[in-house]
Amino acid sequence: MGRRVSLSLVAGLGIAGLGIAGPGIGGLVSSVAAQDASPATQVSVADQEAATIDAQPRVETSVPAGFELVWSDEFDAPGLPDPTKWKYDTFRNEKGWFNNEKQYYAEGRLENSRVENGNLIIEARQEDLAPGRFPDWSGQEYSSARLLTQGLGDWTFGFFEIRAKLPCGTGTWPAIWMLPSEPDIEWPAGGEIDIMEHVGFEPGIIHHSIHTTAFNFSRGTQKTSKHELPTACDAMHKYQLLWAPNMLLFAVDDQPKFLFQKESDKKTRWPFDKPQHLLLNVAVGGTWGGQKGIDPSAFPARMEVDYVRVFQPTNLIGQQEQASSK
């Protein structure tokens, strides 16, 4: 599945840019032997095949040395998600969601987003949503939720880890991803980071992608990778991102899967130097998720999230604190 790629100098390109070094994902990356490509070669898979990294499970910890926890939600309090950490994205309900998706994203509705048994549940349901109860409803036959981090929930650079179990079933499209926090930036100029996407008609296939002005799916130029994770819908797995000044490294369960390296200072190719926030959602149908139709028997379908954790280098945290105090 895909060609093997060179990562031999990734630690020098990315981790060193944050002023830290040591074990963890960064240490593993630096140890992977070079094969087939020079360290400066961009990991690019135009034909949508995977760029696969063969690595043995030899990482003691997933968090790089020199990083510390700056934000987390362990989902310990039952009920609606913590409003100090999460808000709901509903702005396209009345017009219809992008990509021809079929869901209505509900706000503060336990049927679609709740914490139970120590997990965040985002549940897509097939149901009749009466317009009297939901003024922005525009005829969608499915409900779901789309959560965004808020408060201190946006970051520039760091290590992100989300432990989750995914829904399967044709027509489901769960995602763990990031978008720019600046509201006036139009997609894809600010950059999109897809830590994990999964479409139900291909159960157990995990996708990692980035989108920018130069590299995006509307032009067929997005940078992307896919790989098999047979138990994605049966068990919890850690979906991880190491975001450094010169690279984005995607991993699952501490194993690197996809690398995107900075090769240009042009914002069309590397806009990833501004704050972004995290999004968690389960979409229904759409131009990708609905390619094989929507199976009504797949619903209700839910993504379960054990925790969300964000780490940053200690020296970077200090710089940000000094800047905010001026």
Side-chain angles (χ1 to χ4, degrees):
M1 181 188 297
R3 63 186 178 89
R4 299 173 72 180
V5 296
S6 168
L7 296 178
S8 61
L9 293 185
V10 170
L13 291 171
I15 301 294
L18 290 173
I20 60 96
I25 288 289
L28 174 60
V29 168
S30 63
S31 71
V32 178
Q35 301 181 51
D36 294 342
S38 68
T41 298
Q42 177 66 59
V43 178
S44 171
V45 190
D47 61 0
Q48 304 298 304
E49 291 188 359
T52 303
I53 301 164
D54 294 328
Q56 298 302 315
R58 55 182 183 273
V59 184
E60 294 181 2
T61 175
S62 61
V63 182
F67 281 56
E68 63 180 80
L69 187 69
V70 295
W71 191 96
S72 68
D73 198 336
E74 305 295 326
F75 303 114
D76 294 327
L80 290 172
D82 186 343
T84 68
K85 296 182 177 181
W86 302 96
K87 61 182 177 180
Y88 299 89
D89 191 352
T90 63
F91 88 107
R92 289 284 303 191
N93 280 338
E94 194 166 3
K95 294 181 179 180
W97 283 90
F98 303 111
N99 309 310
N100 198 31
E101 297 162 16
K102 305 303 182 184
Q103 75 284 335
Y104 171 91
Y105 281 134
E107 178 175 356
R109 187 170 183 252
L110 288 169
E111 291 91 334
N112 300 115
S113 59
R114 62 189 179 274
V115 176
E116 63 180 31
N117 300 321
N119 294 326
L120 169 67
I121 308 298
I122 298 179
E123 186 167 281
R125 305 167 63 91
Q126 185 178 27
E127 57 183 331
D128 183 14
L129 299 172
R133 290 182 57 203
F134 304 95
D136 58 345
W137 178 72
S138 57
Q140 294 95 335
E141 296 180 1
Y142 298 88
S143 66
S144 188
R146 173 160 151 156
L147 301 182
L148 293 71
T149 52
Q150 68 167 353
L152 299 176
D154 54 12
W155 310 271
T156 307
F157 312 131
F159 181 77
F160 303 81
E161 183 171 281
I162 300 91
R163 187 169 185 262
K165 181 168 70 172
L166 309 180
C168 275
T170 301
T172 61
W173 183 359
I176 300 169
W177 52 307
M178 301 185 74
L179 283 175
S181 297
E182 186 176 332
D184 296 331
I185 297 179
E186 293 188 7
W187 187 93
E192 174 181 324
I193 305 171
D194 297 323
I195 299 173
M196 182 289 302
E197 287 184 283
H198 179 274
V199 287
F201 64 83
E202 289 185 327
I205 303 296
I206 302 300
H207 299 258
H208 314 282
S209 307
I210 66 94
H211 301 275
T212 71
T213 301
F215 309 124
N216 63 79
F217 75 86
S218 60
R219 299 177 60 180
T221 57
Q222 74 271 25
K223 306 301 183 182
T224 188
S225 167
K226 66 180 181 181
H227 60 91
E228 293 185 6
L229 185 63
T231 60
C233 302
D234 303 314
M236 292 280 184
H237 292 276
K238 296 186 294 184
Y239 299 96
Q240 300 157 314
L241 169 72
L242 178 60
W243 175 12
N246 294 306
M247 73 170 190
L248 295 165
L249 177 66
F250 300 78
V252 176
D253 294 334
D254 306 332
Q255 300 306 309
K257 297 296 181 181
F258 176 58
L259 172 70
F260 179 76
Q261 291 178 232
K262 178 180 180 180
E263 287 191 334
S264 171
D265 288 329
K266 293 181 178 179
K267 297 302 182 183
T268 58
R269 293 175 172 267
W270 182 270
F272 303 111
D273 54 6
K274 301 290 185 181
Q276 294 207 0
H277 56 270
L278 275 164
L279 298 92
L280 307 175
N281 68 282
V282 178
V284 179
T287 52
W288 187 21
Q291 282 184 6
K292 304 288 186 177
I294 301 174
D295 180 4
S297 68
F299 300 89
R302 64 191 205 172
M303 177 165 66
E304 302 180 26
V305 183
D306 181 20
Y307 60 76
V308 177
R309 296 171 184 167
V310 181
F311 304 81
Q312 288 189 310
T314 303
N315 65 327
L316 181 62
I317 298 168
Q319 293 171 11
Q320 293 177 340
E321 290 176 347
Q322 291 177 10
S324 63
S325 64
K326 292 182 180 179

